[in-house]
Amino acid sequence: MTSHTEPSEISSSEWLSLNQFLQELKEINTQCISVYYPYGKGQNTIQLLQETNRSESLKKIEIKIEKKILELKKNPVSVGKFTKTLCIFGWIKNGKIEIKVIGTSQKLPYIYMENKKPYVKPFSDILKTNYNVLLVTVDQKTAKIQKFQGSQIIQESKLKIDLQGRHKKGGQSQGRFLRARQTKIHVFFKKVANKVRLMDVDSELILLGGNGPGKTEFYDELNSQLISKCRFVEGLSFTTSINDIHKIIIHHLYEYRKKHMEELIQKYEKLVKDGLTAKRNNVIYRALEMSAVETLIVSTNYHTHSQFKNIIKMLEIAKKTSCKIEFAVSSKIIKKLEIDDSVLAILRYKIK
């Protein structure tokens, strides 16, 4: 029986390197072969490449990838402390075969896929890369809104008001002063909330922090759509280092992904009685060929299963249709998936 442990969160330095690498891959917008394999399984991967029939141009890419695998056997690379998974991307540019490689200390699923651009979904599902996150640091007179795409700040806004801290003797009464002060804060928070709404085009999460009561008062100004994405965070202030900010983002993305997968499994269990799910691989394979699969849920451990090569083909078929692929890393979900041949499917319609 396979033992399971929950995956540990990726270090901020490795996450940063992976995000930078994936940013470079975004420039590639052409037919690409993507290969992910566990360190030590290079020979098996070469065999897999040789067994598959591809067009002549893709075969040339595969031969170059095979040579790269043999090089990596002697000299593995990793942006982490050691190498657990090696990822190779090959494509043709101006008649020349280009290869990009990265190694990670984290466990990624075995992938061998030809697609119209590099296949990077396992990085976002498992290593939390390339997510759009809004970071809002606020107190009663200052706000900083930063939009992160992966580890990069792609948009930033700072807002400030001149706010008198104490009531001076003479002039208006203490009560009137406090009411005027609170109104000024309220107007300021409305302005900040409006800015957040404008910047929140496609973010998955809004992380809200800051010293003092400002963040809880500001939270009340958010609309329901923003509230659904919002999470209070500890340890965030205007002086928090970028490294610590990355750690905060990574932690909350792990929590976000965990919740997303739990909800997906609940959806699957709810649809079972309606006949809108499949759990046997031969049924799922047929449903994929009919474009009847809405979501394919795949265990990151699937390569330890006897259905390994079949699942690799299923992933490629899924990517060529409008089917969503979701990689599960939680021990609880993987245990459930292993009972059902490492893959579950949510269907668009019933199949006979």
Side-chain angles (χ1 to χ4, degrees):
M1 188 177 170
T2 313
S3 64
H4 300 299
T5 54
E6 289 297 334
S8 58
E9 290 179 14
I10 190 169
S11 74
S12 53
S13 60
E14 186 170 357
W15 181 78
L16 179 64
S17 298
L18 288 167
N19 271 299
Q20 287 167 341
F21 177 83
L22 294 170
Q23 202 63 34
E24 292 169 23
L25 282 189
K26 279 185 181 177
E27 306 297 314
I28 304 158
N29 202 15
T30 186
Q31 200 173 30
C32 181
I33 288 182
S34 306
V35 177
Y36 298 55
Y37 65 96
Y39 178 56
K41 294 283 184 183
Q43 208 54 52
N44 305 58
T45 309
I46 288 171
Q47 189 184 344
L48 189 67
L49 287 160
Q50 291 171 345
E51 282 174 3
T52 314
N53 289 321
R54 300 283 188 198
S55 66
E56 283 305 312
S57 60
L58 292 177
K59 276 181 190 171
K60 286 175 186 173
I61 298 171
E62 287 177 337
I63 290 165
K64 195 89 181 261
I65 289 174
E66 287 167 25
K67 286 178 183 172
K68 183 53 76 174
I69 289 169
L70 292 171
E71 284 173 31
L72 291 168
K73 186 178 179 182
K74 297 170 192 168
N75 188 23
V77 295
S78 179
V79 290
K81 288 184 179 175
F82 52 89
T83 309
K84 198 171 263 188
T85 310
L86 286 157
C87 314
I88 307 175
F89 303 90
W91 69 99
I92 296 173
K93 183 181 179 182
N94 300 327
K96 188 185 168 192
I97 296 164
E98 303 274 346
I99 298 283
K100 262 191 177 293
V101 179
I102 198 162
T104 172
S105 67
Q106 306 292 307
K107 183 179 175 184
L108 295 176
Y110 213 133
I111 300 285
Y112 166 42
M113 186 178 290
E114 176 266 313
N115 189 39
K116 55 191 175 185
K117 55 186 178 181
Y119 184 63
V120 297
K121 184 76 163 47
F123 286 99
S124 58
D125 281 10
I126 299 154
L127 305 183
K128 317 303 178 266
T129 58
N130 273 333
Y131 280 88
N132 289 324
V133 174
L134 272 190
L135 194 75
V136 182
T137 314
V138 69
D139 62 21
Q140 290 183 327
K141 58 183 180 181
T142 315
K144 182 163 70 173
I145 310 158
Q146 295 166 303
K147 185 168 187 175
F148 282 82
Q149 189 176 74
S151 57
Q152 284 190 324
I153 298 171
I154 57 167
Q155 198 179 349
E156 188 167 16
S157 182
K158 292 177 182 176
L159 296 93
K160 198 167 186 175
I161 53 167
D162 183 25
L163 193 68
Q164 194 179 319
R166 292 184 179 184
H167 178 241
K168 292 174 183 174
K169 288 182 180 178
Q172 60 185 329
S173 69
Q174 173 79 5
R176 196 183 305 161
F177 167 80
L178 289 173
R179 284 194 298 276
R181 187 177 188 275
Q182 204 53 47
T183 300
K184 199 171 183 181
I185 293 167
H186 176 68
V187 170
F188 172 63
F189 284 158
K190 270 200 173 305
K191 191 176 176 184
V192 177
N194 191 48
K195 192 70 180 174
V196 168
R197 185 180 58 78
L198 291 171
M199 287 172 69
D200 176 57
V201 180
D202 50 7
S203 62
E204 277 84 15
L205 281 176
I206 299 169
L207 302 181
L208 175 58
N211 297 329
K215 57 182 177 288
T216 47
E217 291 175 34
F218 168 70
Y219 180 81
D220 293 336
E221 299 297 334
L222 298 174
N223 62 31
S224 57
Q225 187 183 346
L226 296 176
I227 282 171
S228 67
K229 296 181 182 184
C230 194
R231 309 283 185 274
F232 284 104
V233 301
E234 297 298 319
L236 180 65
S237 71
F238 293 106
T239 56
T240 304
S241 70
I242 191 68
N243 188 49
D244 286 340
I245 284 172
H246 285 164
K247 285 177 184 174
I248 289 167
I249 292 171
I250 291 164
H251 174 69
H252 282 275
L253 284 173
Y254 270 83
E255 293 300 309
Y256 167 75
R257 179 70 190 171
K258 186 178 170 186
K259 186 170 180 276
H260 170 74
M261 290 307 293
E262 284 168 357
E263 287 169 355
L264 195 60
I265 291 297
Q266 284 168 9
K267 180 182 176 181
Y268 172 88
E269 288 169 342
K270 194 176 172 185
L271 292 172
V272 169
K273 62 180 182 296
D274 299 324
L276 289 172
T277 62
K279 64 179 185 177
R280 291 206 318 273
N281 283 354
N282 61 334
V283 177
I284 295 172
Y285 199 105
R286 190 161 55 87
L288 281 165
E289 290 185 315
M290 296 161 63
S291 296
V293 179
E294 179 192 284
T295 308
L296 193 67
I297 307 166
V298 186
S299 160
T300 52
N301 284 350
Y302 78 81
H303 66 271
T304 60
H305 197 275
S306 60
Q307 286 278 313
F308 162 58
K309 287 181 182 177
N310 197 24
I311 293 169
I312 280 225
K313 288 176 192 167
M314 287 161 72
L315 285 167
E316 198 165 59
I317 297 168
K319 192 69 192 81
K320 284 180 165 54
T321 68
S322 53
C323 168
K324 287 181 195 164
I325 301 170
E326 299 279 5
F327 290 102
V329 74
S330 144
S331 58
K332 187 178 169 186
I333 295 174
I334 283 179
K335 192 173 179 183
K336 181 179 184 65
L337 284 158
E338 278 185 355
I339 296 164
D340 299 316
D341 295 344
S342 299
V343 183
L344 295 172
I346 294 172
L347 304 176
R348 290 193 175 94
Y349 52 85
K350 287 185 186 181
I351 56 171
K352 292 179 182 178

